[in-house]
């Protein structure tokens, strides 16, 4: 180990410089941050303007879906029986379950939907990550339909969102999909922040998750739990941005090149190159299916 003035030399400066470089956004990331900031401003304006707020209506329902599905997933993980998941046209929702652990399932709504929003914000920094996020949302949609299959508004919402995802997948090699995933992530986290403030801090709603949680715990009023969940939601939002900056340093050109080889847009050169492999796999599957049927007969 080298010594300086009789003391061992350490490389703290190198680590500090690396951390600074990792947290400094590049040109592509600065564009993403500017777009995210514009989303926040636009959502804040549209949220409170009468009539114009209808533009956000389907996205509000989607974030309510995230909230209710977080309750349901926490219920499944704590051995609860999920009876139904409902989305209300008035932008409300309800998850009906029996069993489970209430002190886990109740806060899971806000914390789970803010975590989902943060994960989507991270994926909004990279085109391939946005593609993976859209596939994850497709699985989320299937689970939602399973538990809310009797709700017509859920069917309309999921069909509409699925159509937008497919449409944006084709635009500019998936760049539009990246910004769409980023918007849903920002919308989900902003909805959590405003909903917690509206339900538990600015006014007390007796039927809110915080009030039910306060009754179970018995130690703090619902406003206190609302503040705690609000801080956690802010932390998730900030973590999503920081992780996105650190994890995805590719330029727009690099992302475009990578995206052309990962789940490429049908009709592109990369997709055409995958056709022979796909056809071979299809022929193998058909042959295997035919063999199984012959053996069965």
């Amino acid at each position: 180990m080298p010594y300086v003035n009789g003391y061992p030399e350490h490389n703290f400066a190198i680590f500090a410089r690396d951390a600074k470089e990792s947290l400094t956004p590049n040109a592509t990331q600065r564009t993403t941050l500017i777009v995210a900031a514009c989303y926040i401003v636009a959502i804040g304006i549209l949220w409170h303007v009468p009539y114009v707020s209808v533009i956000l209506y389907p996205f509000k329902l989607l974030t309510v879906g995230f909230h209710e599905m977080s309750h349901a997933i926490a219920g499944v993980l704590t051995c609860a029986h999920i009876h139904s998941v409902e989305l209300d046209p008035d932008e409300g929702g309800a998850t009906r379950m029996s069993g489970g652990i209430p002190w886990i399932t109740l806060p899971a709504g806000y914390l789970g939907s803010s975590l989902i929003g943060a994960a989507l914000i991270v994926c909004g920094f990279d085109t391939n990550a946005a593609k993976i996020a859209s596939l994850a949302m497709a699985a989320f949609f299937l689970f939602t339909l399973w538990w809310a299959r009797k709700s017509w508004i859920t069917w309309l919402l999921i069909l509409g969102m699925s159509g937008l995802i497919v449409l944006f997948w084709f635009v500019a090699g998936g760049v539009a999909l990246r910004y769409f995933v980023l918007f849903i992530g920002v919308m989900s986290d902003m909805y959590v922040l405003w909903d917690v403030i509206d339900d538990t801090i600015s006014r007390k709603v007796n039927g809110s998750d915080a009030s039910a949680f306060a009754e179970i715990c018995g130690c703090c009023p619902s406003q206190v739990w609302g503040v705690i969940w609000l801080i956690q939601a802010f932390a998730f939002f900030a973590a999503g941005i920081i992780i996105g900056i650190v994890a995805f340093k590719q330029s727009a050109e690099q992302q475009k090149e990578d995206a052309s080889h990962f789940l490429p847009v049908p009709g592109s050169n990369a997709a055409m190159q995958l056709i022979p492999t796909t056809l071979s796999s299809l022929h193998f599957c058909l042959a295997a299916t035919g063999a199984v049927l012959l053996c069965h007969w």
Side-chain angles (χ1 to χ4, degrees):
M1 176 180 292
Y3 285 79
V4 177
N5 297 327
Y7 295 96
E9 182 182 7
H10 296 284
N11 294 321
F12 293 137
I14 296 177
F15 293 122
R17 183 169 63 249
D18 290 343
K20 182 178 179 181
E21 291 176 357
S22 298
L23 293 172
T24 301
N26 58 28
T28 302
Q29 292 175 327
R30 284 195 294 270
T31 302
T32 303
L33 292 174
I34 292 172
V35 172
C38 292
Y39 285 160
I40 294 174
V41 174
I43 292 171
I45 294 174
L46 293 176
W47 197 285
H48 300 95
V49 177
Y51 305 109
V52 183
S53 60
V54 70
I55 298 174
L56 292 181
Y57 179 75
F59 301 102
K60 287 183 179 181
L61 284 179
L62 181 62
T63 55
V64 171
F66 289 154
H67 180 100
E68 299 304 331
M69 277 297 298
S70 297
H71 282 306
I73 292 173
V76 170
L77 293 177
T78 56
C79 301
H81 176 68
I82 310 301
H83 299 287
S84 66
V85 174
E86 300 176 2
L87 299 183
D88 194 284
D90 294 328
E91 302 170 18
T95 300
R96 307 186 187 282
M97 68 178 76
S98 56
I101 304 175
W103 60 268
I104 293 179
T105 58
L106 282 172
Y110 286 127
L111 300 184
S113 53
S114 60
L115 179 60
I116 291 172
L120 293 177
I121 289 174
V122 172
C123 294
F125 279 83
D126 183 77
T127 303
N128 282 346
K131 290 182 177 181
I132 295 174
S134 64
L135 296 178
M137 282 194 290
F140 164 83
F141 291 161
L142 292 177
F143 279 109
T144 304
L145 285 179
W146 172 255
W147 280 317
R149 54 188 177 272
K150 296 181 180 180
S151 172
W152 63 269
I153 194 169
T154 304
W155 279 93
L156 291 178
L157 174 67
I158 289 179
L159 289 175
M161 290 299 164
S162 301
L164 287 177
I165 289 174
V166 172
L167 173 64
F168 291 139
W169 196 301
F170 283 82
V171 178
V175 175
L177 179 66
R178 178 166 74 88
Y179 287 119
F180 182 66
V181 169
L182 179 67
F183 174 79
I184 295 178
V186 172
M187 179 71 190
S188 182
D189 273 352
M190 295 304 297
Y191 186 87
V192 171
L193 296 175
W194 285 329
D195 201 43
V196 170
I197 292 173
D198 188 46
D199 281 355
T200 62
I201 299 177
S202 62
R203 61 185 177 88
K204 181 180 178 180
V205 177
N206 293 327
S208 68
D209 294 340
S211 61
F213 191 73
E215 291 179 2
I216 293 175
C217 294
C219 60
C220 301
S222 61
Q223 288 86 347
V224 172
W225 294 113
V227 171
I228 293 174
W229 295 349
L230 186 66
I231 294 173
Q232 291 175 329
F234 270 116
F236 281 136
F237 184 80
I241 294 176
I242 293 173
I243 294 173
I245 292 174
V246 173
F248 300 113
K249 287 294 185 182
Q250 295 89 346
S251 65
E253 292 74 17
Q254 290 173 324
Q255 290 189 29
K256 183 177 180 181
E257 176 64 21
D258 293 342
S260 65
H261 300 288
F262 179 76
L263 299 176
V265 175
S268 63
N269 293 333
M272 296 302 291
Q273 293 173 2
L274 292 177
I275 288 179
T277 303
T278 304
L279 290 177
S280 298
S281 301
L282 180 60
H283 290 159
F284 174 78
C285 292
L286 291 175
T289 303
V292 171
L293 291 176
L294 289 175
C295 290
H296 176 73
W297 286 101

